[in-house]
Amino acid sequence: MPVISFKKNRTPITVENGANLMEALLKGGLPVASSCSGDGVCAKCRIQIVSGAENLSSENETEKFLRETKKVAPDNRISCQVEVLGDVTVDATYW
């Protein structure tokens, strides 16, 4: 089972393979910014991927559109659109 680790000193979270990143973080007790509740509209749920980007699902069309229109940094992913397929280390400015 994949493990989500954190750049800052937080306890890692073990998740099911294919778990949605945003949902996994919320279930783990971490806040995730969002005004669209994960509908892939606002891009506020962007999460910095510190390592393990290769262990995440590929960008779908919604995420590509949001990356272009919302000026999302290259090392960030829209967490509501991402599946966790292996170990990853993440960070967010508001943690």
Side-chain angles (χ1 to χ4, degrees), residues 74-94:
D75 64 343
N76 282 214
R77 295 290 304 269
I78 308 301
S79 67
C80 71
Q81 299 297 306
V82 176
E83 291 181 2
V84 181
L85 306 172
D87 295 349
V88 62
T89 301
V90 301
D91 193 23
T93 56
Y94 46 85

Side-chain angles (χ1 to χ4, degrees), residues 53-71:
E54 68 278 5
N55 295 326
L56 299 174
S57 58
S58 299
E59 285 189 355
N60 61 25
E61 292 304 313
T62 299
E63 190 175 7
K64 288 177 185 176
F65 174 78
L66 290 171
R67 180 174 298 285
E68 293 172 15
T69 60
K70 302 288 186 177
K71 308 287 190 229

